[in-house]
């Protein structure tokens, strides 16, 4: 006779979860023009499995959260990357049954002109890096690759009109 705990361990250990691109960045778009000190609106959509065309397996692994980092790299040395965290722990829950997409919004205030005096847009490239975070459970096998990070390059304009009090 098989114990209930052994049966449960077998079912959990043999669970297969499919990964797919389920997060779509709506705003900002690639190379959006933004100005220092402005409030940047961020909008992303969690794609419902049944709302997608074509639909995908409802067993798809959705990330447990989403984090956003502001990345800048020196144009003369692209390997020299710096970053700061914009947001973390953002919601990525799908609509029950995946019947429809779920849109989420957030905001972030861009650094002021002092930051961009140190890292001028003429010498640095800037982007937002959206990272889907997946919980790792020993009993869950993810088939296929989890959604990779999404990079959204930004075009920065520096407002020096109130320098040095910007």
């Amino acid at each position: 006779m098989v114990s209930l705990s052994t049966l449960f361990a077998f079912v959990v250990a043999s669970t297969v979860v499919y990964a797919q691109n389920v997060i779509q960045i709506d705003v900002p778009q690639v190379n959006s023009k933004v100005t220092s000190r402005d409030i940047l609106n961020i909008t992303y959509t969690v794609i419902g499995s049944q709302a997608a065309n074509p639909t995908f397996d409802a067993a798809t692994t959705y990330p447990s959260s989403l984090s956003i980092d502001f990345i800048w790299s020196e144009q003369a040395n692209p390997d020299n990357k710096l970053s700061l965290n914009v947001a973390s722990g953002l919601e990525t829950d799908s609509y029950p049954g995946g019947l429809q997409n779920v849109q989420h919004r957030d905001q972030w205030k861009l650094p002021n002109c002092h930051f961009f005096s140190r890292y001028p847009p003429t010498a640095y490239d800037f982007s937002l890096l959206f990272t889907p975070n997946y919980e790792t459970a020993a009993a869950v096998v993810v088939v296929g690759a989890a959604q990779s990070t999404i990079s959204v390059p930004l075009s920065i304009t520096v407002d020096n009109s109130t320098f040095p009090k910007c």
Side-chain angles (χ1 to χ4, degrees):
M1 183 169 168
V2 177
S3 72
L4 186 57
S5 61
T6 303
L7 181 60
F8 177 74
F10 173 76
V11 170
V12 171
S14 64
T15 302
V16 175
V17 182
Y18 296 91
Q20 175 158 332
N21 293 343
V22 295
I23 305 294
Q24 170 186 302
I25 308 306
D26 303 315
V27 177
Q29 294 184 351
V30 172
N31 294 321
S32 290
K33 294 181 191 286
V34 295
T35 304
S36 59
R37 294 186 59 201
D38 276 358
I39 301 292
L40 178 63
N41 292 312
I42 299 169
T43 306
Y44 63 96
T45 301
V46 179
I47 307 298
S49 61
Q50 300 306 304
N53 187 12
T55 61
F56 54 85
D57 191 336
T60 297
T61 300
Y62 280 87
S64 56
S65 66
L66 182 69
S67 60
I68 307 171
D69 293 300
F70 183 62
I71 308 285
W72 62 102
S73 60
E74 197 173 7
Q75 292 170 355
N77 182 9
D79 293 333
N80 183 19
K81 292 183 189 275
L82 300 165
S83 68
L84 60 88
N85 184 260
V86 171
S88 58
L90 297 175
E91 290 184 54
T92 56
D93 293 336
S94 64
Y95 190 83
L99 297 177
Q100 63 188 38
N101 297 338
V102 180
Q103 195 170 67
H104 297 279
R105 290 178 172 75
D106 201 20
Q107 292 183 326
W108 178 59
K109 186 172 183 175
L110 284 139
N112 64 23
C113 66
H114 294 288
F115 175 90
F116 292 110
S117 294
R118 170 68 177 95
Y119 304 105
T122 55
Y124 287 83
D125 293 320
F126 301 90
S127 61
L128 288 179
L129 190 66
F130 294 80
T131 305
N133 302 305
Y134 292 86
E135 290 184 26
T136 54
V140 176
V141 177
V142 177
V143 175
Q147 182 169 354
S148 59
T149 57
I150 302 165
S151 180
V152 179
L154 299 173
S155 176
I156 306 286
T157 302
V158 181
D159 179 6
N160 283 324
S161 62
T162 59
F163 192 83
K165 297 181 180 181
C166 56

